[in-house]
Amino acid sequence: MEYNYDVGIIGAGASGLMAGLELTLAGRKVIVLEARDRPGGRMHTVQKYNFTVPVESGAEFIHGKLEMTLHLLDKAGIPYYPVEGSAWQKRKNALCQQEDFIEDFDKLKSKFDQLDVDLSVADFIESYLNDPELENLRFTVKNYVEGYYAADLHKASTFALRQELTQSDDEQFRIEGGYVKLVEYLVREMADKGGLIIYNHLVEEVNWETSQVIIKAGGKRIVCSQVLSTIPLGVWQDGCLPFVPALTEKVNLAKKLGSGNVIKILLQFKEPFWHWPEITQGNDLKSLGFLFSNEKIPTWWTQYPKNSNVLTGWLGGPPASDMQDETEDELIDRALQSLVSIFQIERKALDNLLMAATSVNWMKDAFTRGGYSYEVVNGAAIQERIA
């Protein structure tokens, strides 16, 4: 069976859906091929595993006042709200409030100002943050880069980190009802304009010639004038999409870019035990937003300002790679044990409070093979060569 289109798009994640919508609006005949049985990629809101509320297994936050994202939400009439709450850290067996995600930022900025050439964050910490009095700053920088970027400290760019922390907007938002609302809107808009998305169609081969591209997927032969691949970086790096002739140089360059691993653990309890005064060491955590620690699952956040009993555990970067082969039960057990250590709560009491639990290991997802990309040292030059 053969189909003919102007443009074939591989992948119905955020990039594929937006490209499909833009091209259909421009009057092109478009087909989007998606290997999964759903659109959205790492935007995936679910309500199962005994959860009584929708939870985000992937993307959850809008990081900054992103013009396009907020425009689409406004156009679709989808409400969103700011992420609020206090940040805390478990430090030397005590819960301490943080002023921001990066403590002692003025000291960090003064060190940034001394940089003339790009370094890995690991080299920057070793060379510029080695003073004993900067121990807590080293902790927060490491936690931020591994957690927020899911990055390897030995590869991540300090120039990119400097730009992020000194020039970007630090506001964050959540979408009411989850990212699924935005995904549904994009799918609906594209279909209304004549675009086609077909699911459960794993691309087996992309044969590209001067005048046309032939995509083989799901037993179909799809002939296009052009093809646009929007597969995640981790899939590129693993060489999982066979192009004929092979795109060897692009794949090899892609392997030099940063793709971070992410494990996310979602837990719903009968009540928010982190409000209990007997385990918060006299601190008021009713407005708790984020909590950082040195535990196996180090980063946690609530749904504040929503009144919710859901806690999300987060592990990114090399520590996530170290645990990528653990089972769901093992990851949930590590998460609960981390909470026991942070709050000094009895494990039996915590188990009795637990209503629902699941873990999401994006590295083990065959169509993703990682959490998201991050900037490596001199990464812009590599991206330019790929493009």
Side-chain angles (χ1 to χ4, degrees), residues 343-357:
F343 289 104
Q344 298 298 296
I345 186 174
E346 292 287 338
R347 175 61 188 264
K348 185 176 180 181
L350 199 60
D351 289 342
N352 289 336
L353 286 168
L354 188 64
M355 290 173 54

Side-chain angles (χ1 to χ4, degrees), residues 309-322:
N309 301 338
V310 173
L311 270 185
T312 300
W314 178 267
L315 183 67
S321 302
D322 292 343

